[in-house]
């Protein structure tokens, strides 16, 4: 077991011997009461994938076993947690990324249920275009730090009877100290199990006309139902991840419905397009919320709008500070002065593909994140967890990784998860979302 220490162990990068790690990422990063794991896949210590890879070296599809891949992924998570002094019981929140939802969800769900039997973290499952190792599954974990002052017995699981039933073995919400984690929520009506606005495809998989604004409003109503069951308030939402299946078709209507429903509530936000969700819906939201009766007052959850950073593409701020954590909205490469994309956009106004420089886009994205962090009194060294979204993994991953490593290659690297998504709201190739140490902790 190898640790990299900073400030007497309060902020610690974790590397586990005998476990595969890639793209210069540590296995995890401890900060405050939480352990953020980098995305974990099924790879063994030599990089081999149990159940086989999805493609060969020429990128031809192969027959692979997602059930074995999922079990191997969960075993890797267990190994990392146990060698770091914790266990599966410490897991609070899980994000599951599948490459082929339609083919793999049933077997994945079965393996997940078996691997997490007796444990109940919140969960969000989406289908991405590709993962950086060629596997069909990757799981991102937020867990309780082993020596946290918050005991496992103090973590509360919430199942909201009025909300739609989850599609797997997980609860609606989990409270950990001052934070409330909510599982990914879609628009299904909890009374009828129908999709307001209509499903995006029928039982035979044929595309259907649907109303994404109606789906968005219903999704937000369902989040309200879960928050009511938790005794929490809608205005206490701190961070929101928004998953759309068809960005080009739906973003404008989604953005307007989101703005109207959230009103003056201003969580940080990240929006990207994925391939599929587990059911025939067009939108899903995942939120983190200030817990009811939190020791951190609502008025102390500061909203940050940064001069000198690109203007957000929706009704949300650049950052939110909540206790020891600084949540940063998804950030892209646009130049805040010119609104142009350094390295060029990935397509023109008619959506025709263009040549672009992903290295320039990546550096500009990181510079924009640093601008926001500096406006909060800190810098890139404070980042503890980061999610990297690429539109074209085969083309861009190597150049993206070189720039990423140059900027985050120091002693205290953040936990990181990198995936190829379907699209972003604007014609860019890369976006990043991160959590950082709030300023007084970062300056210790």
């Amino acid at each position: 077991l190898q640790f990299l220490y900073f400030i007497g162990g309060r902020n610690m990068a974790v590397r586990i011997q005998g476990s595969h790690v890639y793209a210069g990422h540590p296995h995890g990063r401890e900060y405050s009461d939480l352990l953020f794991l980098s995305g974990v896949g099924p790879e063994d210590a030599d990089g081999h994938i149990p159940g086989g890879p999805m493609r060969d070296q020429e990128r031809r599809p192969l027959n692979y076993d997602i059930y074995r891949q999922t079990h191997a992924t969960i075993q890797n998570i267990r190994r990392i947690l146990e060698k770091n002094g914790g266990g599966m019981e410490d897991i609070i929140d899980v994000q599951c990324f599948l490459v082929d939802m339609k083919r793999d969800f049933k077997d994945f769900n079965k393996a997940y249920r078996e691997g997490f039997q007796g444990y109940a973290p919140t969960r969000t499952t989406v289908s991405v275009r590709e993962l950086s190792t060629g596997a069909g599954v990757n799981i991102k974990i937020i867990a309780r730090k082993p020596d946290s002052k918050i005991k496992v017995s103090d973590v509360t699981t919430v199942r909201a009877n009025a909300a739609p039933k989850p599609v797997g073995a997980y609860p609606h919400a989990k409270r950990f100290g001052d934070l409330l984690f909510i599982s990914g929520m879609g628009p299904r009506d909890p009374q009828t199990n129908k999709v307001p606005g209509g499903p995006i495809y029928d039982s035979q998989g044929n595309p259907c006309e649907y109303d994404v604004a109606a789906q968005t409003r219903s999704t937000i109503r369902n989040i309200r139902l879960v928050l009511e069951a938790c005794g929490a308030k809608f205005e206490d939402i701190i961070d929101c991840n928004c998953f759309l299946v068809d960005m080009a078709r739906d973003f404008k209507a989604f953005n307007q419905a989101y703005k109207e429903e959230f009103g003056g509530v201003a969580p940080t936000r990240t929006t990207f397009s994925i391939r599929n969700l587990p059911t025939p819906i067009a939108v899903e939201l995942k939120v983190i919320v200030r817990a009811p009766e939190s020791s951190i007052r609502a008025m102390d959850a500061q909203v940050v709008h940064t001069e000198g950073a690109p203007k957000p593409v929706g009704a949300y701020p650049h950052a939110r500070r909540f206790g020891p954590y600084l949540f940063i909205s998804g950030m892209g490469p646009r130049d805040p002065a010119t609104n142009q994309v350094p390295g060029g956009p990935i397509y023109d106004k008619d959506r025709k593909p263009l040549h672009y420089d992903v290295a320039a886009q990546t550096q500009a994205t990181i510079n924009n994140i640093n601008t926001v962090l500096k406006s909060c009194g800190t810098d890139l060294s404070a980042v503890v967890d980061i999610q990297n979204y690429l539109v074209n993994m085969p083309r861009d991953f190597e150049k993206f990784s070189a720039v990423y490593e140059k900027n985050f290659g120091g002693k205290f690297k953040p936990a990181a998860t990198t995936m190829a998504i379907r699209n972003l709201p604007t014609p860019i190739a890369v976006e990043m979302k991160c959590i950082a140490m709030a300023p007084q902790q970062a300056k210790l």
Side-chain angles (χ1 to χ4, degrees):
L1 187 64
Q2 297 179 345
F3 296 115
L4 300 176
Y5 289 98
F6 178 63
I7 317 173
R10 285 188 59 181
N11 169 25
M12 185 166 65
V14 180
R15 291 186 181 275
I16 306 298
Q17 292 178 341
S19 184
H20 180 68
V21 70
Y22 54 92
H25 304 165
H27 287 98
R29 181 76 176 263
E30 290 186 346
Y31 173 61
S32 188
D33 288 300
L34 293 176
L35 169 62
F36 301 91
L37 291 194
S38 293
V40 179
E43 304 82 16
D44 63 21
D46 297 319
H48 299 135
I49 300 174
M54 294 186 66
R55 299 179 180 87
D56 64 17
Q57 291 183 341
E58 283 72 43
R59 297 187 58 77
R60 293 173 297 198
L62 298 173
N63 189 28
Y64 62 94
D65 186 340
I66 196 67
Y67 178 83
R68 284 188 61 198
Q69 284 197 21
T70 304
H71 264 296
T73 298
I74 295 169
Q75 281 301 107
N76 283 341
I77 291 168
R78 185 186 300 271
R79 184 179 302 113
I80 293 168
L81 292 174
E82 290 179 352
K83 290 194 174 182
N84 193 48
M88 295 288 285
E89 66 276 9
D90 293 314
I91 298 176
I92 303 162
D93 182 70
V94 174
Q95 292 185 66
C96 303
F97 304 106
L98 300 180
V99 174
D100 193 335
M101 184 76 76
K102 292 182 178 179
R103 174 192 187 274
D104 294 338
F105 182 70
K106 184 177 179 180
D107 287 341
F108 157 79
N109 221 18
K110 179 182 177 183
Y112 181 96
R113 184 174 62 251
E114 293 168 354
F116 277 86
Q117 188 172 10
Y119 311 108
T122 48
R123 192 183 98 180
T124 305
T125 306
V126 300
S127 179
V128 297
R129 285 180 65 182
E130 195 161 358
L131 297 164
S132 58
T133 59
V137 60
N138 191 277
I139 297 179
K140 166 86 176 116
I141 296 288
I142 297 178
R144 169 186 170 274
K145 192 173 71 170
D147 62 353
S148 169
K149 63 182 181 295
I150 302 170
K151 299 177 182 178
V152 172
S153 58
D154 295 331
V155 181
T156 306
T157 298
V158 178
R159 301 181 190 276
N161 293 332
K165 183 179 179 181
V167 297
Y170 58 90
H172 290 99
K174 197 102 172 175
R175 177 174 181 162
F176 180 79
D178 293 312
L179 293 171
L180 186 64
F181 293 84
I182 310 296
S183 290
M185 183 60 65
R188 283 193 176 273
D189 185 300
Q191 301 298 321
T192 66
N193 207 35
K194 302 293 185 181
V195 179
I200 64 173
Y201 55 83
D202 63 21
S203 58
Q204 282 74 48
N206 300 310
C208 299
E209 275 299 312
Y210 61 92
D211 182 346
V212 75
Q215 287 201 24
T216 302
R217 294 183 193 281
S218 184
T219 296
I220 294 169
R221 283 196 297 270
N222 287 336
I223 290 172
R224 288 181 182 272
L225 291 173
V226 174
L227 295 180
E228 288 172 9
C230 298
K233 297 178 181 179
F234 187 76
E235 55 265 33
D236 285 335
I237 297 176
I238 302 162
D239 181 69
C240 184
N241 267 18
C242 306
F243 309 103
L244 299 180
V245 172
D246 192 335
M247 184 74 75
R249 176 193 188 276
D250 294 340
F251 181 71
K252 184 177 180 179
F254 157 80
N255 214 24
Q256 183 61 33
Y258 179 99
K259 178 181 179 180
E260 292 170 1
E261 291 293 324
F262 272 80
V265 180
T268 48
R269 194 182 95 180
T270 304
T271 306
F272 58 90
S273 177
I274 38 83
R275 291 181 65 192
N276 284 113
L277 291 159
T279 59
I281 59 177
V283 59
E284 184 165 301
L285 269 59
K286 168 186 169 51
V287 298
I288 300 174
V289 186
R290 173 184 173 270
E293 301 178 1
S294 167
S295 62
I296 301 169
R297 298 178 302 173
M299 67 178 67
D300 294 330
Q302 299 168 355
V303 175
V304 178
H305 295 277
T306 302
E307 292 291 334
K311 183 180 178 181
V313 297
Y316 59 92
H318 291 102
R320 286 292 297 268
R321 175 175 176 164
F322 184 75
Y325 306 104
L326 192 59
F327 294 85
I328 309 296
S329 291
M331 184 63 67
R334 283 193 176 273
D335 184 299
T338 66
N339 205 35
Q340 300 300 305
V341 180
I346 64 174
Y347 54 82
D348 64 17
K349 62 181 181 179
D350 300 314
R351 301 190 71 84
K352 294 179 181 178
L354 298 173
H355 181 76
Y356 62 92
D357 182 347
V358 75
Q361 286 202 24
T362 303
Q363 187 60 62
T365 298
I366 295 170
N367 291 346
N368 286 337
I369 291 171
N370 203 28
T371 297
V372 174
L373 290 169
K374 286 183 176 180
S375 78
C376 298
T378 186
D379 58 26
L380 290 175
S381 65
V383 176
V384 294
D385 184 69
I386 192 163
Q387 294 190 39
N388 306 310
Y389 311 114
L390 302 180
V391 172
N392 191 332
M393 182 80 76
R395 177 192 187 277
D396 294 339
F397 182 68
E398 185 175 342
K399 290 181 180 179
F400 161 82
S401 294
V403 177
Y404 178 94
E405 182 68 16
K406 182 177 72 173
N407 287 272
F408 292 102
K411 186 177 181 182
F412 307 107
K413 300 179 182 180
T417 306
T418 303
M419 69 201 77
I421 45 85
R422 188 176 175 189
N423 266 315
L424 291 159
T426 59
I428 58 176
V430 59
E431 184 165 298
M432 299 180 180
K433 165 190 171 65
C434 63
I435 300 173
M437 296 182 284
Q440 76 271 24
Q441 280 81 9
K443 291 181 177 179
L444 282 176

